[in-house]
């Protein structure tokens, strides 16, 4: 049996630990969430500031590879109501917090953030800072769709302090684009990339995906060659997550047999990774690469890179507040997720209630496991000298790691583990060895996409 066949199992991407399906919702309440948030905010706001993730769910058309929470519409009159709701939610949080928030990070995700008119995005950002101030080392970023990002979008957000933008490319093959209902030309991607550089953005990123329907090695190499000609500072090279069982998911534009499987899919990644390396891109975390001049690469080398519900970030904040439908917040000691429909979201805000519908209070065990999973996802290394007693009482974790050592995926010393070059492709599986909640409650149905 090949390593691909052995380790290609359903597994989390670990933007959190515990992962959402294993949250203990019975011991969670809105009041507990508020308590942990206030405590964590008081402890960290003055020094490191907080992060904001803002979910902008609207898209004009459905991309059939997407598993995100979205609302498809061509009606742009929805913008005003949604921005008013976001500002109302922010107002409720500011009333709760004991001091004026110092915002270090903002990320606009979606959906399609550039669905919104630039003036409405300006109103949103200015509205946030009516009751907050910027951290000295702030970093603001947003996701742009190459087909509808205008120069005015880029200029308006730049003037508001945004210096990083990522554009969703996925793949340049017309066959693949048609299958995933994401038709966009290289010309459009080049245009917005050049605009961003001319305006002064210091980090331009492109998001690529391997494992898409009808995708072959030739398509991956062609996409990377075209991408390299534009020299984006950062690259995400994601594994396509096939999760058609999620309610409302649009992954119906192709059949399962159209997808590359197991070894074929992994070969797409290995060829792509090798090609990126030849072009000067450094691997800085699961699925992520950067040029040596990019700040994310420097953060990785300095051991400062962090991972949360926004993905990888170049620095850590203890508090991350998620605004908008389905957004997830993190106080470090607890997680809280907003309701998933616009109707519920608007209704709760009209009642002056934070629109939270579920969450999790982390236990002492959770906090220890979270630390080691974060270290592995961000640095490909962790040491547990301070937790040696804890792990000595969990021999099953060491046993699982020992098997991975035998397969050449990790190197193990007395109190530390390092992911090998071969093992980087299986970092999700390595983190799963530590995932006590999953091991104690093996699911009856598939909850996650495949790890390969």
């Amino acid at each position: 049996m090949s390593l691909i066949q052995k380790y290609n199992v359903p597994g989390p991407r670990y933007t959190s630990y515990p992962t959402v399906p294993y949250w203990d919702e019975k011991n969670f309440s809105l009041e507990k969430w508020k308590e942990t948030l206030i405590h964590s905010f008081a402890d960290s706001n003055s020094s490191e500031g907080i992060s904001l993730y803002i979910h902008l769910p609207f898209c004009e058309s459905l991309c059939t590879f997407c598993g995100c929470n979205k609302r498809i519409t061509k009606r742009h009159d929805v913008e005003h109501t949604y921005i008013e709701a976001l500002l109302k939610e922010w107002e409720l949080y500011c009333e709760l917090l004991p001091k004026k928030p110092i915002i270090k990070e903002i990320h606009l995700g979606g959906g399609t953030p550039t669905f919104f008119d630039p003036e409405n995005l300006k109103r949103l950002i200015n509205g946030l800072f009516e009751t907050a101030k910027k951290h000295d080392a702030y970093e603001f970023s947003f996701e742009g769709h190459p087909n509808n990002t205008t120069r005015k979008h880029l200029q308006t957000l730049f003037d508001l302090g945004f210096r990083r933008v990522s554009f969703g490319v996925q793949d340049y093959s017309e066959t693949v684009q048609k299958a995933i209902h994401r038709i966009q030309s290289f010309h459009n991607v080049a245009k917005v990339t050049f605009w961003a550089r001319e305006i002064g953005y210091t980090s331009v990123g492109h998001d690529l995906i391997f494992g898409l329907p009808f995708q072959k090695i030739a398509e991956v190499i062609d996409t990377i060659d075209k991408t390299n000609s534009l020299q984006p500072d950062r690259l995400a090279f994601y594994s396509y997550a096939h999760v058609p069982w999620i309610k409302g998911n649009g992954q119906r534009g192709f059949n399962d047999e159209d997808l590359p499987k197991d070894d074929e899919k992994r070969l797409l990644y290995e060829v792509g990774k090798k090609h990126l390396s030849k072009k000067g891109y450094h691997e800085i975390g699961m699925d992520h690469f950067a040029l040596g001049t990019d700040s994310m690469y420097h953060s990785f080398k300095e051991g400062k890179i962090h991972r949360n519900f926004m993905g990888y970030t170049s620095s850590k904040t203890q508090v991350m507040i998620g605004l908008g439908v389905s957004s997830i917040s993190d106080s470090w000691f607890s997680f809280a997720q907003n309701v998933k429909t616009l109707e519920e979201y608007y209704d709760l805000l009209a009642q002056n209630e934070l629109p939270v519908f579920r969450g999790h209070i982390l236990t002492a065990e959770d906090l220890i496991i979270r630390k080691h999973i974060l270290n592995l996802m961000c640095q490909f290394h962790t040491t547990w000298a301070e937790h040696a007693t804890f792990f000595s009482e969990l021999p099953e974790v060491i046993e699982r790691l020992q098997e991975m050592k035998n397969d050449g995926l990790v190197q193990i010393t007395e109190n530390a583990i390092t992911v090998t070059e071969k093992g980087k492709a299986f970092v999700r599986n390595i983190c799963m060895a530590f995932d006590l909640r999953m091991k104690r409650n093996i699911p009856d149905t598939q909850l996650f996409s495949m790890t390969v």
Side-chain angles (χ1 to χ4, degrees), residues 10 134 151 190 206 238 240 292 306 339 354 397 413 440 443:
K134 291 179 184 175
R151 191 176 182 108
H206 288 186
Y238 293 116
Y240 165 60
H306 182 55
V339 293
L354 288 176
V397 173
T413 57
R440 291 167 183 160

Side-chain angles (χ1 to χ4, degrees), residues 79 83 113-124 148 150-157 160:
E79 295 182 34
I83 286 177
T114 47
F115 171 97
F116 285 75
D117 182 83
E119 287 303 312
N120 282 329
L121 293 175
K122 181 178 180 179
R123 186 161 61 88
L124 169 62
N148 66 13
T150 64
R151 191 176 182 108
K152 187 175 181 182
H153 277 113
L154 291 161
Q155 187 66 60
T156 298
L157 290 169
L160 291 165

